[in-house]
Amino acid sequence: MGFVVGALFGSFANVIIYRLPRGESIVFPGSHCFHCKKPVPWHDNIPLFAWFFLGGKCRNCKAPYSGRYVLVEWIMAFLFAAVVCRDGLSWSVLEHLIFVFGLVTASFIDFDHMILPDEFTLSGIVIGLVGAALNPDRPFLPALFGVLVGGGFLWAIAAIYAAVRKQEGMGGGDIKLLGWIGAVLGWTSVPFVVISSSLVGSLVGLIIMAQKRKGLSQAIPFGPYLAFGAILYLFFGQDISEAYIRLFIPAL
Ligand SMILES: [Zn+2]
């Protein structure tokens, strides 16, 4: 159930990822081939599978379609299914589905355009705080602290970096993104998210540099790594944190 709904939202996410940064309408017109402009019939637009049936090409003009569209649909389907399995029917399931949808969509926009739109990050902070106020399963104050700790931490890093290097390193979008993550996962998630995203980001950065021999100052969007760290925490954060504590205090 979560899987099918996730696939549909993945398909919707693809529309947003493509159109929002271009200032196009999200709802109109319907899907059309970006090359020959011919409308895509519904049976060629079935999430998860149509891309494979069509061999990754437009039926009409044979222009190649990026496999990324179908990748986004599979990612969203798996994440939605995992959230539904974990949370069951609760306030949290609604909050986490919105969270995961927003994180994945915003990440791919960041990959493409190096921007994290306020439509996601600022709305995410507001929705996260409203969610904390309504959700009986989580208190409000840790969410509010989450915004302050998450946003404040990256803001401080950005200020120090700007002072030392005399150039802007971290975008305001990343600051708002970590504020949003803190609003949904609480301030205690911030250290985990920062450390895990930095580790994964450094690793991927080293691999890219080794392959392309690009300079260190090459801008790589950090948003997707923060989103990855947040999703990691959502599913495993508590277990990892507990295992870490047990490592030092085995009696617990
Ligand atoms: Zn076409």
Side-chain angles (χ1 to χ4, degrees):
M1 175 64 193
F3 196 82
V4 175
V5 174
L8 294 172
F9 271 93
S11 186
F12 180 49
N14 278 323
V15 176
I16 297 175
I17 293 163
Y18 188 83
R19 295 187 186 177
L20 184 93
R22 292 173 172 82
E24 295 173 22
S25 164
I26 303 294
V27 275
F28 188 84
S31 301
H32 52 268
C33 173
F34 62 89
H35 186 247
C36 66
K37 310 293 180 212
K38 202 170 183 283
V40 178
W42 67 270
H43 53 83
D44 286 352
N45 214 0
I46 296 168
L48 305 178
F49 301 110
W51 185 82
F52 295 103
F53 289 141
L54 293 166
K57 289 192 289 268
C58 171
R59 185 187 290 279
N60 183 45
C61 72
K62 306 293 178 212
Y65 287 169
S66 165
R68 219 193 61 185
Y69 295 107
V70 75
L71 178 70
V72 170
E73 289 162 0
W74 281 94
I75 290 174
M76 208 71 92
F78 271 111
L79 287 178
F80 270 48
V83 167
V84 170
C85 277
R86 214 194 67 129
D87 292 336
L89 213 59
S90 62
W91 265 107
S92 297
V93 78
L94 182 64
E95 285 205 87
H96 291 153
L97 289 179
I98 295 170
F99 187 52
V100 159
F101 176 79
L103 285 180
V104 173
T105 309
S107 291
F108 279 97
I109 292 176
D110 202 18
F111 270 130
D112 289 350
H113 303 278
M114 299 288 292
I115 49 158
L116 287 163
D118 286 348
E119 282 92 334
F120 289 91
T121 54
L122 286 186
S123 311
I125 289 173
V126 173
I127 293 171
L129 289 177
V130 171
L134 295 175
N135 188 343
D137 297 330
R138 69 188 187 106
F140 181 74
L141 272 186
L144 183 63
F145 285 142
V147 178
L148 300 176
V149 172
F153 176 76
L154 281 192
W155 179 84
I157 299 264
I160 294 167
Y161 187 90
V164 173
R165 294 283 297 267
K166 304 268 186 275
Q167 66 183 48
E168 213 173 299
M170 184 154 309
D174 295 319
I175 296 171
K176 287 174 246 176
L177 172 59
L178 193 56
W180 169 22
I181 292 169
V184 177
L185 299 178
W187 69 273
T188 47
S189 71
V190 171
F192 177 93
V193 172
V194 169
I195 292 169
S196 59
S197 59
S198 305
L199 285 177
V200 176
S202 311
L203 199 67
V204 174
L206 284 174
I207 294 169
I208 291 173
M209 267 195 289
Q211 284 180 341
K212 292 186 177 173
R213 303 192 174 281
K214 279 180 180 170
L216 250 179
S217 57
Q218 169 79 18
I220 299 167
F222 192 51
Y225 301 115
L226 286 173
F228 182 79
I231 289 171
L232 212 57
Y233 184 87
L234 178 61
F235 290 112
F236 310 109
Q238 211 167 354
D239 294 340
I240 294 173
S241 299
E242 278 172 16
Y244 188 75
I245 291 167
R246 239 179 263 121
L247 198 68
F248 293 97
I249 315 169
L252 280 177

